[in-house]
Amino acid sequence: RFSDKLGLLGDDESQDGIIAATMDAMTINQVDFTLFYRHLTKVCAGGNEDSLLELFSDTEAGRELLRHWRDHIRADKAEQEQRLKIMQENNPVFIPRNHRVAEAIRAGEEGDFKPFHQLVKVLSKPFDEQPEYAEYEKAPKPNEIVHETFCGT
């Protein structure tokens, strides 16, 4: 599963190292899981790496991880188009983030179901680019973090 998220199409044990290094770097730098893979997919598509590096508290750690990742993708010799397709199929743009779910629940309790319907609409196509809903892609701000989850999340 993580090989697909990273776009590693070979089937060898050397992938274990890059997967472990990725998870370690993300943990140490408190990088949002979904945003990391989302931005890595953009890098694979030829996009700028700056948005990915901005996720890291230590940008040099992010650069090192990117170098390591690029070494692996060069080594597996897969077609770029195939790699990108697999990454796009395994790295959603939108997920049901707890702060958005909490927002929809609060509004619903007050009789306003618009946030719920909008969230359902966005999440009905989690792998599609939906620029008009870009705010749903973002991780919560510190004051939006949900410390208690709900039944069903």
Side-chain angles (χ1 to χ4, degrees):
R1 181 90 176 132
F2 284 104
S3 294
D4 290 344
K5 293 183 86 51
L6 288 165
L8 305 174
L9 307 181
D11 190 21
D12 62 61
E13 291 180 15
S14 71
Q15 293 178 358
D16 294 348
I18 184 67
I19 292 168
T22 300
M23 298 306 286
D24 288 346
M26 288 171 56
T27 301
I28 291 166
N29 288 274
Q30 299 180 344
V31 175
D32 182 89
F33 186 90
T34 301
L35 290 176
F36 171 80
Y37 288 107
R38 160 89 167 120
H39 289 286
L40 185 65
T41 302
K42 287 181 175 182
V43 169
C44 184
N48 191 304
E49 63 188 39
D50 291 346
S51 62
L52 180 118
L53 295 175
E54 289 171 3
L55 299 172
F56 287 79
S57 55
D58 175 3
T59 54
E60 188 50 42
R63 278 191 191 87
E64 180 58 32
L65 183 59
L66 270 175
R67 280 191 290 273
H68 194 161
W69 174 74
R70 284 186 173 118
D71 288 345
H72 273 271
I73 64 171
R74 273 192 290 275
D76 78 10
K77 307 277 190 223
E79 292 291 324
Q80 177 67 8
E81 202 171 290
Q82 179 187 13
R83 178 187 326 284
L84 181 59
K85 183 178 186 298
I86 287 174
M87 290 178 76
Q88 289 170 332
E89 290 171 350
N90 286 278
N91 296 321
V93 177
F94 302 99
I95 61 167
R97 293 189 178 272
N98 282 337
H99 69 293
R100 293 295 182 185
V101 173
E103 176 183 81
I105 290 171
R106 275 193 307 277
E109 289 173 340
E110 296 173 9
D112 178 9
F113 293 97
K114 184 178 177 186
F116 168 78
H117 291 295
Q118 191 156 352
L119 184 61
V120 169
K121 182 179 181 180
V122 171
L123 295 175
S124 70
K125 299 177 183 176
F127 295 93
D128 292 358
E129 295 289 339
Q130 300 176 65
E132 68 275 24
Y133 297 117
E135 70 273 8
Y136 286 86
E137 182 180 345
K138 297 176 184 173
K141 296 175 185 163
N143 65 320
E144 296 175 319
I145 294 173
V146 174
H147 297 285
E148 289 185 41
T149 59
F150 327 94
C151 178
T153 61

